[in-house]
Amino acid sequence: MTTAKDIMHAGAQWIPAHETLDRAAQLMRDLNVGALPIADRNERLCGILTDRDIVVGCVAMGHDPAKITCGEMAKGTPRWIDSGADVGAVLEEMQSHQIRRLPVVENKKLVGMISEADLAQQLSDEQLKAFCASVYAAS
């Protein structure tokens, strides 16, 4: 059985909720990623910040990314998956919540991220078609 841990990108990093968006953008650049999980002071997942969130939700609104925190941008209930979950559970979680990136947690610690590209490598053509239809339909 292929698990979330088998398909994830290992070494994902949190960004603390108190950090500013400009710092998040710098970290995204340094890590060459487009999203960062946001952690509260207890290192619990409280959201995910994307590069698009920074541009559309801050810069395009005329706000200063050096003055807005990652925690202020965190919205909704964050989704995650246990590292031992099978690919079917990963697919279901991402499809049912229409998300493109999914943090992977093991023993309450962030161990990786699964992107749509990671997942697509594990799917049949039919599964990939269904995934894209469900995730992108409402986008």
Side-chain angles (χ1 to χ4, degrees):
M1 167 179 81
T2 303
T3 65
K5 192 169 189 171
D6 296 328
I7 62 174
M8 71 180 192
H9 275 88
Q13 266 189 258
W14 298 108
I15 184 118
H18 68 269
E19 286 286 357
T20 57
L21 297 183
D22 62 334
R23 175 66 189 120
Q26 293 162 1
L27 187 56
M28 286 180 191
R29 176 200 61 212
D30 295 347
L31 297 172
N32 194 30
V33 297
L36 293 170
I38 304 169
D40 66 16
R41 64 179 157 267
N42 298 316
E43 289 196 1
R44 292 238 161 147
L45 181 66
C46 65
I48 294 183
L49 179 71
T50 66
D51 46 9
R52 186 176 194 282
D53 293 333
I54 295 170
V55 173
V56 175
C58 178
V59 176
M61 299 297 285
H63 301 296
D64 182 352
K67 294 182 179 171
I68 306 291
T69 67
C70 295
E72 291 175 85
M73 294 297 290
K75 296 179 185 120
T77 303
R79 307 305 308 177
W80 56 274
I81 194 102
D82 185 79
S83 64
D86 69 22
V87 161
V90 172
L91 181 60
E92 171 62 27
E93 184 70 16
M94 293 176 81
Q95 282 181 302
S96 65
H97 297 285
Q98 296 182 311
I99 55 177
R100 298 175 186 146
R101 297 172 181 100
L102 186 63
V104 180
V105 175
E106 186 174 85
N107 299 320
K108 298 184 180 180
K109 298 288 184 193
L110 178 71
V111 293
M113 286 280 272
I114 297 175
S115 69
E116 57 196 340
D118 300 322
L119 184 58
Q121 293 176 15
Q122 302 297 316
L123 302 178
S124 68
D125 288 345
E126 259 327 287
Q127 288 173 309
L128 183 57
K129 182 179 175 183
F131 173 78
C132 291
S134 66
V135 172
Y136 292 101
S139 294

